[in-house]
Amino acid sequence: MRIAVFASDTDHSQLKKRELEKLIIEKGLTLDNQTPETVITIGGDGTLLSAFHRFVHRLDRIRFIGIHTGHLGFYTDWRDFELEELVDSLLEIVSHSVSYPLLEIKVTYCDDQEPKHFLALNECVIRRVTGTMRADVYIKDELFEQFRGDGLSVSTPTGSTAYNKSVGGAVLHPSVNALQLAEIASINNRVYRTLGSPLVIGQEEWIAIAVNELGQHMLSIDHLVMAEENVEKISYRVAQERIHFGGYRHNHFWTRVKDAFIK
Ligand code: NAP
Ligand code: MN
């Protein structure tokens, strides 16, 4: 088995990375940062997001395993004192994989730029840099609403506990193959009227946000933030690709939600 270890920058994570790599070599497994079959992250959920984008071009061939060094994460279910146990049961962990939906994003421009394609594990957020954002929201090519406000977030089920939750979105179980659109500070008055609540679409549908003015928009895809000129439209759908996690530990989603937000 070819394994890549991907750690956050903290001294502690880097120390654990060296420990883990040593164990991997001792067990006769192979370290490979270019074409791994298993990617083990050490850090937080943000570390797993970075690893996801690093290996996004070969998701179908990778099982991710997250080790957390701080608080319990949504993508990290091993503790940093369990390295030995993890390496010993690696074959079993990767043979019990689970997969979760991803968000497919296509950005088109009103100048001659080529469209851009992205995949997100958590979400994509669009905002305008100066002033409020005005956009037409389409569902399955039909105009649904005219939005004015700070911005719009489209998230995956596993991303629903991240930014989406902070803007009042619902928490979605990752077995639901869907995406969620959530408003960020919409203006609702006699001129502008939006649904005013998050909405969830399934895999047969798609959402498009057609922006109504030129200028810069901030587009964030997971932890990556880009300033984009001349955006015309962003289209979203449930991606064909999925992320695969190794291990049975990833099942207790509602326990995780309770531990993170209630208890
Ligand atoms: P960060 O600023 O360190 O992340 C913000 C927090 O979100 C961290 O506590 C992070 O956990 C947590 N997080 C990430 N993915 C999550 C998920 N799926 N469910 C629940 N919590 C999650 O930046 P980052 O670590 O690079 O993560 C980027 C993500 O942060 C973005 O995708 C966005 O969802 C989220 N974010 C949230 C807000 C907000 O709620 N107002 C603002 C900006 C960004 P770890 O500490 O374990 O990394
Ligand atoms: Mn983080």
Side-chain angles (χ1 to χ4, degrees), residues 32-72:
D32 181 345
N33 284 328
Q34 298 307 315
T35 57
E37 297 153 298
T38 303
V39 173
I40 306 178
T41 68
I42 306 177
D45 287 328
T47 318
L48 201 125
L49 289 175
S50 304
F52 167 81
H53 286 279
R54 163 76 176 77
F55 295 107
V56 73
H57 55 291
R58 48 195 318 279
L59 292 177
D60 55 332
R61 280 161 288 175
I62 290 179
R63 300 289 173 269
F64 288 88
I65 298 171
I67 299 172
H68 59 98
T69 48
H71 57 89
L72 177 66

Side-chain angles (χ1 to χ4, degrees), residues 14-257:
Q14 290 295 324
L15 176 77
K16 291 289 157 185
K17 178 177 192 270
R18 289 191 292 276
E19 270 179 50
L20 180 61
E21 288 180 337
K22 191 162 164 277
L23 282 170
I24 288 169
I25 291 165
E26 280 170 11
K27 303 282 176 191
L29 302 163
T30 311
L31 290 171
D32 181 345
N33 284 328
Q34 298 307 315
T35 57
E37 297 153 298
T38 303
V39 173
I40 306 178
T41 68
I42 306 177
D45 287 328
T47 318
L48 201 125
L49 289 175
S50 304
F52 167 81
H53 286 279
R54 163 76 176 77
F55 295 107
V56 73
H57 55 291
R58 48 195 318 279
L59 292 177
D60 55 332
R61 280 161 288 175
I62 290 179
R63 300 289 173 269
F64 288 88
I65 298 171
I67 299 172
H68 59 98
T69 48
H71 57 89
L72 177 66
F74 278 86
Y75 296 121
T76 55
D77 29 23
W78 288 80
R79 305 295 307 274
D80 58 5
F81 51 77
E82 298 175 306
L83 301 186
E84 193 130 18
E85 188 192 334
L86 194 157
V87 176
D88 284 336
S89 44
L90 214 46
L91 285 176
E92 200 187 328
I93 294 169
V94 297
S95 67
H96 287 82
S97 82
V98 288
S99 74
Y100 298 139
L102 298 170
L103 170 65
E104 183 183 299
I105 303 149
K106 180 183 177 190
V107 187
T108 53
Y109 301 87
C110 46
D111 55 16
D112 52 11
Q113 285 183 72
E114 286 296 307
K116 289 183 190 161
H117 298 263
F118 303 94
L119 284 180
L121 177 54
N122 271 351
E123 79 284 289
C124 174
V125 178
I126 180 168
R127 293 186 192 80
R128 192 155 171 245
V129 174
T130 49
T132 53
M133 183 176 96
R134 286 191 296 127
D136 295 334
V137 177
Y138 291 83
I139 301 179
K140 266 185 134 170
D141 298 333
E142 190 181 310
L143 181 62
F144 181 72
E145 63 184 11
Q146 291 177 306
F147 175 87
R148 184 166 185 170
D150 280 2
L152 289 162
S153 160
V154 181
S155 62
T156 63
T158 54
S160 69
T161 49
Y163 187 77
N164 169 73
K165 188 173 181 301
S166 301
V167 295
V171 174
L172 244 70
H173 193 280
S175 60
V176 181
N177 213 13
L179 336 156
Q180 178 167 189
L181 173 71
E183 302 178 356
I184 310 165
S186 58
I187 300 172
N188 267 293
N189 54 30
R190 278 178 299 179
V191 184
Y192 295 96
R193 177 67 45 205
T194 54
L195 183 63
S197 71
L199 66 83
V200 176
I201 63 156
Q203 58 184 328
E204 306 301 326
E205 307 199 306
W206 59 93
I207 290 175
I209 297 173
V211 300
N212 281 338
E213 65 269 285
L214 292 177
Q216 266 196 345
H217 287 86
M218 293 296 287
L219 200 63
S220 60
I221 292 170
D222 297 338
H223 58 300
L224 315 161
V225 185
M226 300 171 279
E228 292 286 294
E229 300 277 356
N230 298 328
V231 172
E232 181 179 45
K233 192 172 87 179
I234 310 184
S235 311
Y236 305 90
R237 57 165 74 231
V238 179
Q240 294 281 313
E241 297 90 338
R242 294 170 68 87
I243 184 169
H244 302 269
F245 281 91
Y248 38 88
R249 282 199 183 183
H250 228 77
N251 293 334
H252 310 294
F253 180 72
W254 295 114
T255 311
R256 225 173 258 267
V257 172

